[in-house]
């Protein structure tokens, strides 16, 4: 278990990641529906996916740091 002081940070990071995932799913669906040209759609979806990964990365790094602190018993 981890310190209760870490819970708000942990929940905030998870909430932000969930929000980013929902926005990505929504944007991906819009692109898929609006672009008729398969080649353009594929490139646009790939770019969107890359942007999604770039946006998520800092939060994933913070989660990894937090998990490391939890495993080492940081309170």
């Amino acid at each position: 278990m981890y310190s209760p002081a870490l819970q708000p940070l942990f929940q905030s990071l998870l909430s932000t990641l969930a929000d980013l995932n929902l926005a990505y799913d929504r944007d991906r669906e819009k692109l898929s529906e609006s672009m008729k040209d398969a080649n353009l759609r594929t490139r646009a979806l790939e770019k969107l996916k890359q942007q999604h990964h770039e946006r998520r990365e800092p939060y994933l790094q913070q989660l990894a740091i937090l998990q490391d602190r939890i495993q080492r018993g940081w309170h």
Side-chain angles (χ1 to χ4, degrees):
M1 201 69 202
Y2 54 91
S3 169
L6 297 177
Q7 186 173 357
L9 177 58
F10 194 73
Q11 287 178 334
S12 176
L13 289 168
L14 291 176
S15 176
T16 300
L17 285 167
D19 290 344
L20 288 171
N21 287 342
L22 285 173
Y24 170 67
D25 289 342
R26 191 172 41 247
D27 292 344
R28 192 180 66 211
E29 187 174 318
K30 285 180 189 176
L31 264 177
S32 293
E33 291 173 355
S34 66
M35 298 189 89
K36 302 304 177 197
D37 184 296
N39 290 328
L40 288 176
R41 183 175 53 242
T42 299
R43 286 188 293 216
L45 288 170
E46 191 56 40
K47 183 175 181 177
L48 183 66
K49 182 179 178 181
Q50 181 62 34
Q51 290 171 340
H52 175 63
H53 285 284
E54 290 171 4
R55 287 183 187 122
R56 286 173 42 93
E57 188 58 31
Y59 301 100
L60 294 174
Q61 289 175 1
Q62 288 297 314
L63 270 177
I65 291 167
L66 185 58
Q67 288 174 327
D68 183 55
R69 288 180 178 168
I70 291 169
Q71 289 175 350
R72 291 185 293 146
W74 180 78
H75 300 280

